Amino acid sequence: MAAETDWTIRPRKGLGRLEFGMSPAQVDALSATYGTITGRGADRVADDLLRETLAMFANAMSDDDKQALVAEYADHGPAADSVTETRGDLVLRYEGGRLCEIMPAGPRHPLFLDGRDVFALRGLEPLELLERLNEGPGRYADTEAVFDNLAISVNGFGVSDSTTGVLALDDSDPRFQERTAILREVPYLPEQEMHRYVLHSLRAVNDRPPRHN
């Protein structure tokens, strides 16, 4: 039971004993459960390194294009204090020295939500579970599904299609083998990417509440 509790998603709060807002030292105190650090580094590329990299393109890009790319990265790139670390079966991200994202590194460890192991569910069951707990449809883009009320994003469980809706992936698809989830304290709402998503509900028509005139 302790193992399940340690790996139970608490939407917008954390995972098991990991809580959003923890410092790296507080997380490290739980290394017996979540593993020791195997890698850690800043997410943002230093401005000088970015400019040196662009200079390598020489005449392949105009000066205006290079400046536009630098400006785009400044506006939409990772925060200056964003740091990612890997430990055990988790990838963790910090901003301002505080834990803000938790991502299981693939389905190598059970991940529980509402008493069910999300990675053990098949077909559309994991997405249906998330939609039910989200109390609303998810946003879909290719193999990604985002549930804003839970502040949970998942990838590799299904694929969205403009004609047929959302189709389940299975063991025969390598994307399913790499399925994962990202837990956050706040919803993932990237302004520059919102156009990619389509709102879709998996609830059957006869499961929906009746319309009132």
Side-chain angles (χ1 to χ4, degrees), residues 20 91-95 98-103 182-185 188:
F20 295 121
V91 178
L92 307 178
R93 191 170 74 83
Y94 301 83
E95 280 191 7
R98 298 296 171 181
L99 181 63
C100 64
E101 286 185 4
I102 302 171
M103 183 177 74
I182 302 179
L183 318 179
R184 299 180 174 91
E185 187 174 12
Y188 180 61

Side-chain angles (χ1 to χ4, degrees), residues 34-86:
Y34 300 106
T36 56
I37 295 175
T38 56
R40 197 170 201 271
D43 295 319
R44 190 175 183 86
V45 176
D47 290 345
D48 289 346
L49 179 58
L50 179 60
R51 294 182 188 281
E52 288 177 10
T53 302
L54 290 175
M56 295 172 61
F57 286 90
N59 296 327
M61 296 177 66
S62 69
D63 289 341
D64 287 344
D65 287 340
K66 293 175 184 177
Q67 290 299 324
L69 193 150
V70 170
E72 178 72 14
Y73 189 75
D75 290 340
H76 302 299
D81 56 4
S82 178
V83 174
T84 294
E85 72 177 24
T86 56

Side-chain angles (χ1 to χ4, degrees), residues 113 126-134 147 150 152 154:
L113 179 64
L127 299 176
E128 291 170 343
L129 172 64
L130 286 160
E131 180 175 324
R132 176 173 63 81
L133 297 176
N134 190 61
F147 299 88
L150 302 175
I152 295 175
V154 297

Side-chain angles (χ1 to χ4, degrees), residues 75-206:
D75 290 340
H76 302 299
D81 56 4
S82 178
V83 174
T84 294
E85 72 177 24
T86 56
R87 57 169 67 236
D89 292 323
L90 295 174
V91 178
L92 307 178
R93 191 170 74 83
Y94 301 83
E95 280 191 7
R98 298 296 171 181
L99 181 63
C100 64
E101 286 185 4
I102 302 171
M103 183 177 74
R108 296 195 293 267
H109 196 288
L111 185 68
F112 297 96
L113 179 64
D114 198 37
R116 307 181 73 184
D117 179 2
V118 175
F119 287 139
L121 299 176
R122 290 297 183 265
L124 293 175
E125 284 186 312
L127 299 176
E128 291 170 343
L129 172 64
L130 286 160
E131 180 175 324
R132 176 173 63 81
L133 297 176
N134 190 61
E135 298 183 344
R139 291 187 287 115
Y140 291 84
D142 193 31
T143 58
E144 182 183 9
V146 183
F147 299 88
D148 294 328
N149 292 335
L150 302 175
I152 295 175
S153 303
V154 297
N155 206 313
F157 290 90
V159 60
S160 61
D161 182 274
S162 59
T163 303
T164 57
V166 179
L167 303 175
L169 296 178
D170 58 28
D171 291 309
S172 66
D173 194 305
R175 295 172 295 181
F176 182 78
Q177 303 292 343
E178 299 298 323
R179 62 198 183 282
T180 190
I182 302 179
L183 318 179
R184 299 180 174 91
E185 187 174 12
V186 296
Y188 180 61
L189 299 167
E191 182 179 348
Q192 71 278 14
E193 296 182 24
M194 292 301 289
H195 66 280
R196 297 193 303 114
Y197 296 95
V198 175
L199 201 65
H200 186 83
S201 176
L202 300 176
R203 295 176 63 186
V205 173
N206 57 5

